[in-house]
Amino acid sequence: MTKRAYKYRFYPTPEQEQLLARTFGCVRFVYNAVLRYRTDAFQQRQEKIGFTAANAELSRMKKAEDTAFLSEVSSVPLQQCLRHQQTAFKNFFEGRFRYPAFKSKRHRQSAEFTRSAFTYRDGKLFLAKCKAPLAIRWSRDLPSEPTTVTVSKDSAGRYFVSCLCEFDPEALPVTPKMVGIDLGLKDLFVTSDGHRIGNLRHAAKYATRLAKAQRRLSKKKLGSKNRAKARQKVARLHAKISDCRMDRLHKLSRQIVNENQVICVESLKVKNMLRNRSLAKSISDAGWGEFVRQVEYKATWADRQVSAIDPWYPSSKRCSACGYVMPEMPLQIRAWTCPECAAEHNRDVNAAVNIKAAGLAVLALGENVSGMELVSESGSR
């Protein structure tokens, strides 16, 4: 059995909206208060506060007069936020993420409910301290009863519920097709078969409307209702851009997984590439990291194979016909002729063919391509 989250949009009643607002506020308050408590304890007394002590601090806060409002909402989301905070500290101490940050009321709000804090029966979901079921727009049926339910509100004011369920993934029929994928900016990606998938540049499409909305926001008085309305308009545009990008990436990743048994990609360091100020906006708009992530987990469910090659493998500079590696290959060169065998190459298609060959070599030999004699020198793509 595999766990999978099913996300739906719902429309709360005024009473549910007030309850959720209090729940989000209490979750945010507890997270920030305990984070400050743990930070001060270490900085002032060199004392490390674990989950047990943090949970005891939550119990003390609920009994105190000035924070008695914490008892007005379900206790489960408050305890769950401390578990998430403990995971954040673990990731920090193991060097995977930065130090946990304080939560803001202007960003996405969420609350997690376990089985003791919600009821699911006859296709209806009831949250703790909520008499009426959530008005969820069920786009698909749940495969099983949820084990965890996460209710969230994004910056655009939309409400979503994510149900974590167990399901049995179905393997797709075996196909002999294999593909190499070269990610880019002009085209979102080019396959080793020569197919080009254009980059729709969703952020650029809405850039004019977004700039206009942001200018109007900057002129509103701080703390006014008009500023809150203007902020909502900006948030809705950002949500529109994100939704369009995610919809396209989901469709393309599903198509790639359905059609190919082996998928070869580059293991790009997208966070490092975003340091390039000239290309950071375009790279973020393309969504390379999200696309590869979707391909990987969908391939796992479908019993497909994904082979990631070394990011420094010279896929663009290497001739896919004879293996000659060009000393230099500036980005403005989109087509070139191999000086060794006179083969003519399109830069992107040639890179995709090399990525496919290197990915298959990784699967066959179980090694990283950069450590093999297949590559005599390392260079930029």
Side-chain angles (χ1 to χ4, degrees), residues 93-132:
F93 288 122
E94 294 179 358
R96 288 193 293 268
F97 292 99
R98 297 180 180 178
Y99 192 82
F102 292 98
K103 293 184 179 295
S104 170
K105 64 179 180 180
R106 293 183 178 177
H107 298 154
R108 177 180 177 273
Q109 308 295 311
S110 66
E112 185 176 281
F113 298 81
T114 57
R115 283 182 172 175
S116 61
F118 72 88
T119 303
Y120 177 78
R121 63 173 181 268
D122 300 329
K124 295 181 180 180
L125 183 64
F126 298 81
L127 297 180
K129 299 193 176 184
C130 185
K131 298 180 181 179

Coordinates of all heavy atoms in Angstrom, one line a residue, residues 93-132:
F93 N 19.2 20.4 11.8 CA 20.4 19.9 12.4 C 21.1 18.8 11.5 O 22.3 18.7 11.7 CB 20.0 19.2 13.8 CG 19.7 20.2 14.8 CD1 18.4 20.2 15.5 CD2 20.6 21.2 15.2 CE1 18.1 21.1 16.5 CE2 20.2 22.1 16.2 CZ 19.0 22.0 16.8
E94 N 20.4 18.2 10.6 CA 21.0 17.3 9.7 C 21.5 18.0 8.4 O 21.9 17.3 7.5 CB 20.0 16.2 9.3 CG 19.7 15.3 10.6 CD 18.7 14.2 10.2 OE1 18.3 14.1 9.1 OE2 18.4 13.3 11.1
G95 N 21.3 19.3 8.3 CA 21.9 20.1 7.2 C 21.1 20.1 6.0 O 21.6 20.5 4.9
R96 N 19.8 19.7 6.0 CA 19.0 19.7 4.8 C 18.2 21.0 4.6 O 18.0 21.3 3.4 CB 18.0 18.5 4.9 CG 18.6 17.1 4.8 CD 17.5 16.1 4.6 NE 16.7 15.9 5.7 CZ 16.9 15.0 6.7 NH1 18.0 14.3 6.6 NH2 16.1 14.9 7.7
F97 N 17.9 21.7 5.6 CA 17.1 22.9 5.5 C 17.7 24.0 6.4 O 18.5 23.7 7.3 CB 15.6 22.7 5.7 CG 15.0 21.9 4.7 CD1 14.7 20.5 4.9 CD2 14.6 22.4 3.5 CE1 14.1 19.7 4.0 CE2 14.0 21.6 2.5 CZ 13.7 20.3 2.8
R98 N 17.1 25.2 6.3 CA 17.5 26.3 7.1 C 16.8 26.2 8.5 O 16.0 25.4 8.7 CB 17.2 27.6 6.5 CG 18.0 27.9 5.2 CD 17.6 29.2 4.6 NE 18.3 29.5 3.3 CZ 18.1 30.6 2.6 NH1 17.2 31.5 3.0 NH2 18.8 30.8 1.5
Y99 N 17.2 27.1 9.4 CA 16.6 27.2 10.7 C 15.1 27.5 10.5 O 14.7 28.3 9.7 CB 17.2 28.2 11.5 CG 16.8 28.2 13.0 CD1 17.5 27.3 13.9 CD2 15.8 29.0 13.5 CE1 17.1 27.3 15.2 CE2 15.5 29.0 14.8 CZ 16.1 28.1 15.7 OH 15.8 28.1 17.0
P100 N 14.2 26.8 11.3 CA 12.7 27.1 11.1 C 12.4 28.5 11.3 O 12.9 29.3 12.1 CB 12.1 26.2 12.3 CG 13.1 25.2 12.5 CD 14.5 25.8 12.3
A101 N 11.5 29.0 10.4 CA 11.1 30.4 10.4 C 9.7 30.6 11.0 O 8.9 29.6 11.1 CB 11.1 30.9 8.9
F102 N 9.5 31.8 11.4 CA 8.1 32.1 12.0 C 7.1 32.2 10.9 O 7.4 32.6 9.8 CB 8.2 33.4 12.8 CG 9.0 33.4 14.0 CD1 10.3 33.9 14.0 CD2 8.5 32.9 15.2 CE1 11.1 33.8 15.1 CE2 9.3 32.9 16.3 CZ 10.6 33.3 16.3
K103 N 5.9 31.8 11.3 CA 4.8 31.8 10.3 C 4.1 33.2 10.2 O 4.0 33.8 11.2 CB 3.7 30.7 10.7 CG 4.2 29.3 10.6 CD 3.1 28.3 10.9 CE 3.6 26.9 10.7 NZ 4.0 26.6 9.3
S104 N 3.7 33.5 9.0 CA 3.1 34.8 8.8 C 1.6 34.6 8.5 O 1.2 33.7 7.8 CB 3.7 35.6 7.6 OG 3.0 36.7 7.3
K105 N 0.8 35.5 8.9 CA -0.7 35.4 8.7 C -1.0 35.8 7.2 O -2.2 35.6 6.8 CB -1.5 36.3 9.6 CG -1.2 37.8 9.5 CD -2.0 38.6 10.5 CE -1.8 40.1 10.4 NZ -2.6 40.9 11.3
R106 N -0.1 36.4 6.5 CA -0.4 36.8 5.1 C -0.1 35.7 4.1 O -0.4 35.9 2.9 CB 0.4 38.1 4.8 CG -0.1 39.3 5.6 CD 0.7 40.5 5.1 NE 0.2 41.7 5.9 CZ 0.8 42.9 5.7 NH1 1.8 43.1 4.9 NH2 0.3 43.9 6.4
H107 N 0.6 34.6 4.5 CA 0.9 33.6 3.6 C -0.1 32.4 3.8 O -1.1 32.6 4.5 CB 2.3 33.1 3.9 CG 3.3 34.2 3.6 ND1 4.6 34.2 4.3 CD2 3.3 35.3 2.8 CE1 5.3 35.3 3.9 NE2 4.5 35.9 3.0
R108 N 0.2 31.3 3.2 CA -0.7 30.1 3.3 C -0.9 29.7 4.7 O 0.1 29.6 5.5 CB -0.1 29.0 2.4 CG -0.9 27.7 2.5 CD -0.2 26.7 1.6 NE -0.9 25.4 1.7 CZ -0.7 24.4 2.6 NH1 0.2 24.6 3.5 NH2 -1.3 23.3 2.6
Q109 N -2.1 29.4 5.1 CA -2.5 29.0 6.4 C -3.0 27.5 6.3 O -3.6 27.1 5.3 CB -3.6 29.8 7.0 CG -3.3 31.3 7.0 CD -2.2 31.7 7.9 OE1 -2.1 31.3 9.0 NE2 -1.3 32.5 7.3
S110 N -2.6 26.7 7.3 CA -3.0 25.3 7.2 C -3.2 24.7 8.6 O -2.6 25.3 9.6 CB -2.0 24.5 6.5 OG -0.7 24.4 7.1
A111 N -4.0 23.7 8.7 CA -4.2 23.0 10.0 C -4.4 21.5 9.6 O -5.1 21.2 8.7 CB -5.4 23.5 10.7
E112 N -3.7 20.6 10.4 CA -3.7 19.2 10.1 C -4.6 18.5 11.1 O -4.4 18.7 12.3 CB -2.3 18.6 10.0 CG -2.3 17.2 9.7 CD -0.8 16.7 9.5 OE1 -0.2 16.9 8.5 OE2 -0.3 16.0 10.5
F113 N -5.5 17.6 10.7 CA -6.4 16.9 11.6 C -6.1 15.4 11.4 O -6.1 14.9 10.3 CB -7.8 17.2 11.3 CG -8.2 18.6 11.4 CD1 -8.0 19.5 10.5 CD2 -8.9 19.0 12.6 CE1 -8.4 20.9 10.6 CE2 -9.3 20.3 12.8 CZ -9.0 21.3 11.8
T114 N -5.9 14.7 12.5 CA -5.8 13.2 12.4 C -7.2 12.6 12.6 O -8.2 13.3 12.7 CB -4.8 12.7 13.5 OG1 -5.3 13.2 14.8 CG2 -3.4 13.3 13.3
R115 N -7.2 11.3 12.7 CA -8.5 10.6 12.7 C -9.4 10.9 13.9 O -10.6 10.8 13.8 CB -8.3 9.0 12.6 CG -7.9 8.5 11.2 CD -7.7 7.1 11.2 NE -7.6 6.6 9.9 CZ -7.3 5.3 9.6 NH1 -7.2 4.4 10.5 NH2 -7.2 4.9 8.3
S116 N -8.7 11.3 15.0 CA -9.5 11.6 16.2 C -10.2 13.0 16.1 O -11.0 13.3 16.9 CB -8.6 11.6 17.4 OG -7.5 12.5 17.3
A117 N -9.9 13.7 15.0 CA -10.4 15.1 14.9 C -11.2 15.3 13.7 O -11.6 16.5 13.4 CB -9.2 16.1 14.9
F118 N -11.6 14.3 13.0 CA -12.5 14.4 11.8 C -13.2 13.1 11.6 O -12.8 12.0 12.1 CB -11.7 14.8 10.6 CG -10.9 13.7 10.0 CD1 -11.5 12.8 9.1 CD2 -9.6 13.5 10.3 CE1 -10.7 11.7 8.5 CE2 -8.8 12.5 9.7 CZ -9.4 11.6 8.8
T119 N -14.3 13.2 10.9 CA -15.2 12.0 10.6 C -15.5 12.0 9.1 O -15.9 13.1 8.6 CB -16.5 12.1 11.4 OG1 -16.2 12.1 12.8 CG2 -17.3 10.8 11.1
Y120 N -15.3 10.9 8.5 CA -15.6 10.7 7.1 C -16.6 9.6 6.9 O -16.3 8.4 7.3 CB -14.3 10.4 6.3 CG -14.6 10.2 4.8 CD1 -14.8 11.3 4.0 CD2 -14.6 8.9 4.3 CE1 -15.1 11.1 2.6 CE2 -14.8 8.7 2.9 CZ -15.1 9.8 2.1 OH -15.3 9.6 0.8
R121 N -17.8 9.9 6.5 CA -18.8 8.9 6.3 C -19.7 9.3 5.2 O -20.1 10.5 5.0 CB -19.6 8.6 7.6 CG -20.4 9.8 8.1 CD -21.3 9.4 9.3 NE -22.1 10.5 9.7 CZ -21.7 11.3 10.7 NH1 -20.6 11.1 11.3 NH2 -22.5 12.3 11.1
D122 N -20.1 8.3 4.3 CA -21.1 8.6 3.2 C -20.6 9.7 2.3 O -21.4 10.5 1.8 CB -22.5 8.9 3.8 CG -23.0 7.7 4.6 OD1 -22.6 6.6 4.3 OD2 -23.8 8.0 5.5
G123 N -19.3 9.8 2.1 CA -18.8 10.8 1.2 C -18.8 12.2 1.8 O -18.7 13.2 1.0
K124 N -19.0 12.3 3.1 CA -19.0 13.7 3.7 C -17.9 13.7 4.8 O -17.7 12.8 5.5 CB -20.4 13.9 4.3 CG -21.5 14.0 3.3 CD -22.8 14.3 4.0 CE -24.0 14.4 3.0 NZ -25.3 14.7 3.6
L125 N -17.3 14.9 4.9 CA -16.2 15.1 5.8 C -16.6 16.1 6.9 O -17.0 17.3 6.6 CB -15.0 15.6 5.0 CG -13.7 15.8 5.9 CD1 -13.2 14.5 6.4 CD2 -12.6 16.4 5.0
F126 N -16.5 15.7 8.1 CA -16.9 16.5 9.3 C -15.6 16.8 10.1 O -14.9 15.9 10.4 CB -17.9 15.9 10.2 CG -19.2 15.6 9.5 CD1 -19.4 14.5 8.7 CD2 -20.3 16.5 9.7 CE1 -20.6 14.2 8.1 CE2 -21.5 16.2 9.1 CZ -21.7 15.1 8.3
L127 N -15.3 18.1 10.4 CA -14.1 18.4 11.2 C -14.6 18.6 12.6 O -15.8 18.7 12.9 CB -13.5 19.7 10.7 CG -12.9 19.7 9.3 CD1 -12.3 21.1 9.0 CD2 -11.9 18.6 9.1
A128 N -13.6 18.5 13.5 CA -13.9 18.6 15.0 C -14.5 20.0 15.3 O -14.1 21.0 14.7 CB -12.6 18.4 15.8
K129 N -15.5 20.0 16.1 CA -16.2 21.2 16.5 C -16.9 21.9 15.4 O -17.2 23.1 15.4 CB -15.2 22.2 17.2 CG -14.6 21.7 18.5 CD -13.9 22.7 19.3 CE -13.3 22.2 20.6 NZ -12.7 23.2 21.4
C130 N -17.2 21.1 14.4 CA -18.0 21.6 13.2 C -19.1 20.7 12.9 O -19.0 19.5 12.7 CB -17.0 21.7 12.0 SG -17.8 22.5 10.6
K131 N -20.4 21.2 13.1 CA -21.6 20.4 12.9 C -21.9 20.0 11.5 O -22.3 18.9 11.2 CB -22.8 21.2 13.6 CG -22.6 21.4 15.0 CD -23.8 22.2 15.6 CE -23.6 22.5 17.1 NZ -24.8 23.2 17.6
A132 N -21.7 20.9 10.6 CA -22.0 20.7 9.2 C -20.8 20.1 8.4 O -19.6 20.5 8.7 CB -22.5 22.0 8.5

